[in-house]
Amino acid sequence: MQTFSSSTGGRWRLLAALSIVYIVWGTTYYALGVAMRTLPPVLMNGARFLIAGAVMLALAQWRGQAWPTRREWVGCALIGTLMAFAAMALVVLAQHQGIGSGLMATVVTTMPMWLALWTRLGGERVPGTSWAGLALGAVGAGLLALEGDFGATPLGALFAFAAPLCWSIGSYASRRLALPAPAMASGAQWLIGGAVGVAVAWLAEPGARTVDWSAVTPASWLAWGYLVVMGTLVTLNCYLWLLHDTSVALAGSYSFVNPLVALAIGVGLGGERVTGWVFVAMPLILAGLALIAYGPALLAVLRRTALAVGAWRLQPAGSSGSSAP
């Protein structure tokens, strides 16, 4: 599996996908908070994926992609339940319990570590530079937790830390299970995960059956629409492409950038206060991303540089490699 495509078009596609995943998913934490102001969290999240899944299935059919087989439906059901329902429902419940958007984005940084662990247990090799990058990114994101108000209730913290665990299992399963073509797989996963979410909300979520739709604010509707279109249809497709066509570590590296974006949104729109910790965390996060994306290449450059320096030092005194005039 190649981390970067050798073609110019492939590199631009990779850069575009990473930019969307880094930036848009960083803004969704704030959008979730706005949507939940007047919408029940689990019902809102379930409806988001149910509609996005139906749209994606229609697009896949229009493109002529084959309908999933029974085995592929089972795989889509497992992944959709873990990612679209469990992981995302835990995120909205954590924020509903009082977890700040910046803290939620910070906790998500544990996801690529879980994913790397499942990858290693599954017999795949994880480069040492990726482990080092993941560690640096986690430290940097952890320092971001010192920014602003990151108070949390115990139940909210439990939801928050369970969310990336469910997401990482679903991400790893998507690399192992038989699935249909990407668009069809995404649509099936979202449709099933969304349907599970709506059903659970209808059965167990307080207020889900008695929503006063006239009381839902335009801001909540706009935030929900943004989550459906940008946060789901656009960005999740980019993430799934990265997961299948690049390295596991690079696909999961978005979780190091999301806290920075979430923090910036919190400062700009939510009035959060930034202290000096962000200036310590940012270099660590960027260094972690460099190791994840370019670790083997950086090591190769360092080795060549060391060999060149060693060869230069071994040259006889007065030798410059060129004749005197």
Side-chain angles (χ1 to χ4, degrees), residues 54-77:
V55 171
M56 186 56 64
L57 281 177
L59 288 173
Q61 285 276 288
W62 178 72
R63 294 174 184 173
Q65 295 185 4
W67 200 251
T69 64
R70 179 177 296 183
R71 184 183 178 190
E72 290 169 345
W73 273 116
V74 172
C76 289

Side-chain angles (χ1 to χ4, degrees), residues 3-4 125 127-133 247 249-250 286-303:
T3 302
F4 291 97
R125 180 179 176 275
T129 52
S130 292
W131 287 110
S247 68
L250 184 60
L286 294 177
L289 288 172
L291 284 173
I292 291 170
Y294 305 106
L298 288 172
L299 283 180
V301 170
L302 288 174
R303 290 192 189 101

Side-chain angles (χ1 to χ4, degrees), residues 297-316:
L298 288 172
L299 283 180
V301 170
L302 288 174
R303 290 192 189 101
R304 289 196 297 268
T305 303
L307 289 173
V309 171
W312 177 77
R313 287 181 175 177
L314 290 174
Q315 286 184 352

Side-chain angles (χ1 to χ4, degrees), residues 199-310:
V200 170
W202 186 258
L203 293 173
E205 185 173 28
R209 297 189 185 185
T210 58
V211 179
D212 182 3
W213 298 107
S214 63
V216 179
T217 64
S220 287
W221 281 123
L222 285 172
W224 182 80
Y226 177 80
L227 290 167
V228 171
V229 177
M230 292 303 299
T232 309
L233 285 169
V234 175
T235 311
L236 266 175
N237 269 313
C238 291
Y239 172 72
L240 291 171
W241 177 80
L242 289 167
L243 194 64
H244 285 87
D245 287 34
T246 68
S247 68
V248 174
L250 184 60
S253 65
Y254 70 89
S255 59
F256 297 148
V257 182
N258 287 170
L260 292 173
V261 177
L263 185 64
I265 295 296
V267 171
L269 300 179
E272 296 181 9
R273 185 174 61 89
V274 175
T275 66
W277 285 110
V278 69
F279 303 108
V280 179
M282 189 177 297
L284 292 175
I285 292 172
L286 294 177
L289 288 172
L291 284 173
I292 291 170
Y294 305 106
L298 288 172
L299 283 180
V301 170
L302 288 174
R303 290 192 189 101
R304 289 196 297 268
T305 303
L307 289 173
V309 171

Side-chain angles (χ1 to χ4, degrees), residues 13-109:
R13 185 182 182 188
L14 176 65
L15 180 61
L18 284 173
S19 298
I20 291 171
V21 171
Y22 286 170
I23 296 171
V24 173
W25 264 348
T27 64
T28 56
Y29 296 96
Y30 180 79
L32 285 171
V34 174
M36 286 188 293
R37 289 174 185 172
T38 53
L39 285 169
V42 178
L43 179 63
M44 176 272 296
N45 184 73
R48 163 193 174 185
F49 284 101
L50 185 64
I51 291 177
V55 171
M56 186 56 64
L57 281 177
L59 288 173
Q61 285 276 288
W62 178 72
R63 294 174 184 173
Q65 295 185 4
W67 200 251
T69 64
R70 179 177 296 183
R71 184 183 178 190
E72 290 169 345
W73 273 116
V74 172
C76 289
L78 176 61
I79 295 167
T81 301
L82 283 168
M83 298 177 73
F85 166 61
M88 293 308 303
L90 287 166
V91 168
V92 297
L93 287 173
Q95 292 191 226
H96 191 65
Q97 287 287 322
I99 299 287
S101 60
L103 179 56
M104 190 63 242
T106 300
V107 172
V108 171
T109 59

